[in-house]
Amino acid sequence: MSILKGKGEKIIESFIKTVGLLSILPVVLILGYIIFTGVPAISWEFLSQAPKDGMRGGGILPAIIGSLYLTLGTIVVSVPFGILTGVYLVEYSKDNWIRRTINLTIVNLAGIPSIIYGLFGMAFFVIYMGMGASILAGSLTLGIMCLPVIITATRESLLAVPVHLREASLALGATKWETTWKVVLPAGSPGILTGVILSISRAAGETAPIMFTVAAFYLPFLPESIWDQAMTLPYHLYVISTQVPNMPKANMDGTLFVLVGITVGFNLLGAYVRTRFNKQK
């Protein structure tokens, strides 16, 4: 009987391993295809020049710089508010209707399609606030989209910090804020930073929220302020894939490779940061 039970467990274990490998196989195949087709299209001219000849030639430098500016603006908008909101929910709020309302709002915001954020950003920031299509409007839109992930990551990371660390700090005479700033936040920083990096990597690859708030069809120059429009890699890839006839396939493959490389780089950075902090702890 025990032999049959042992064989059954091995079969189940093998089945679970097979399912796990099959689940990541499409990702591996997609990344392999992107690398195989994108690497030959990459050159210094492609990365350092502006588009020309109706975007059928030249490079993607304005799109790269625009995406970096937009990502930096998203970090400035979302990270402080997201982390401070998570700290408030865990360390300072009481179990009342206010906290329950905030938690319910965060859950609902996390499930909203990205196109809705884009339409909201266009209606509120671009039109009502008079910002126009600009890096500032796009950063605010993407920042709001990133808030639910950052708040949730901060909240769960702080809840995982043992209570005895807080009690020990308070017993030594530290104030509530000193305990939160010097004990709780450092202990929960791996999960917080991972959530921040993953949310920013998602924002860097979004197309729908920036179509109405910042992205330009074609700009042969770099943005000079937060009030300027900008080309971005996701929208540029959409444009050259669907709106420009007779587009060389190498341009699309190279743009896709750069965009995926940036997104994957953010995810790898999140994994590295989490591993590094866990080792230090």
Side-chain angles (χ1 to χ4, degrees):
M1 192 70 179
S2 59
I3 296 176
L4 293 176
K5 184 177 180 181
K7 289 183 177 180
E9 290 180 353
K10 289 182 179 180
I11 293 174
I12 294 174
E13 182 179 351
S14 300
F15 176 75
I16 293 174
K17 288 181 179 179
T18 303
V19 172
L21 292 174
L22 289 176
S23 66
I24 65 172
L25 182 61
V27 178
V28 174
L29 293 176
I30 292 172
L31 290 178
Y33 174 79
I34 292 173
I35 294 172
F36 179 76
T37 58
V39 170
I42 300 299
S43 65
W44 174 247
E45 290 75 16
F46 184 73
L47 298 176
S48 61
Q49 293 182 358
K52 58 184 180 181
D53 299 333
M55 291 193 291
R56 296 181 183 87
I60 57 172
L61 179 62
I64 295 175
I65 299 300
S67 293
L68 293 178
Y69 283 169
L70 197 61
T71 302
L72 179 60
T74 303
I75 293 173
V76 173
V77 170
S78 62
V79 173
F81 287 98
I83 293 178
L84 289 177
T85 302
V87 170
Y88 166 76
L89 291 174
V90 176
E91 302 295 330
Y92 291 95
S93 67
K94 297 179 181 180
D95 188 13
N96 51 27
W97 68 271
I98 297 178
R99 185 167 75 175
R100 290 192 291 270
T101 302
I102 294 175
N103 288 328
L104 180 61
T105 303
I106 293 170
V107 173
N108 290 329
L109 285 176
I112 294 177
S114 59
I115 186 67
I116 303 300
Y117 286 101
L119 294 173
F120 167 79
M122 180 184 66
F124 186 73
F125 297 122
V126 176
I127 299 176
Y128 180 76
M129 298 294 292
M131 296 180 183
S134 61
I135 294 175
L136 179 60
S139 298
L140 290 171
T141 303
L142 289 176
I144 294 175
M145 188 187 72
C146 291
L147 279 178
V149 177
I150 297 177
I151 293 173
T152 302
T154 302
R155 182 182 60 193
E156 297 303 321
S157 299
L158 297 184
L159 288 173
V161 177
V163 178
H164 66 79
L165 291 180
R166 298 176 174 85
E167 295 175 345
S169 177
L170 295 172
L172 292 173
T175 64
K176 179 69 173 178
W177 172 245
E178 288 174 336
T179 300
T180 302
W181 178 253
K182 297 182 179 180
V183 177
V184 179
L185 278 176
S189 56
I192 296 174
L193 289 175
T194 301
V196 168
I197 293 172
L198 293 179
S199 66
I200 297 303
S201 69
R202 177 200 172 191
E206 284 287 349
T207 304
I210 62 175
M211 289 176 63
F212 311 104
T213 57
V214 58
F217 185 88
Y218 172 66
L219 288 175
F221 50 84
L222 301 180
E224 298 179 353
S225 72
I226 60 175
W227 302 104
D228 293 339
Q229 277 188 280
M231 294 183 68
T232 60
L233 285 170
Y235 187 67
H236 180 66
L237 180 61
Y238 165 76
V239 167
I240 64 177
S241 301
T242 61
Q243 308 297 317
V244 180
N246 302 320
M247 171 60 62
K249 188 174 182 298
N251 285 16
M252 294 185 286
D253 292 336
T255 304
L256 177 60
F257 177 78
V258 173
L259 176 59
V260 173
I262 292 175
T263 305
V264 172
F266 272 115
N267 285 274
L268 293 177
L269 178 61
Y272 171 77
V273 168
R274 185 178 185 87
T275 303
R276 183 69 179 270
F277 272 84
N278 285 333
K279 287 182 178 180
Q280 290 180 354
K281 290 170 63 178

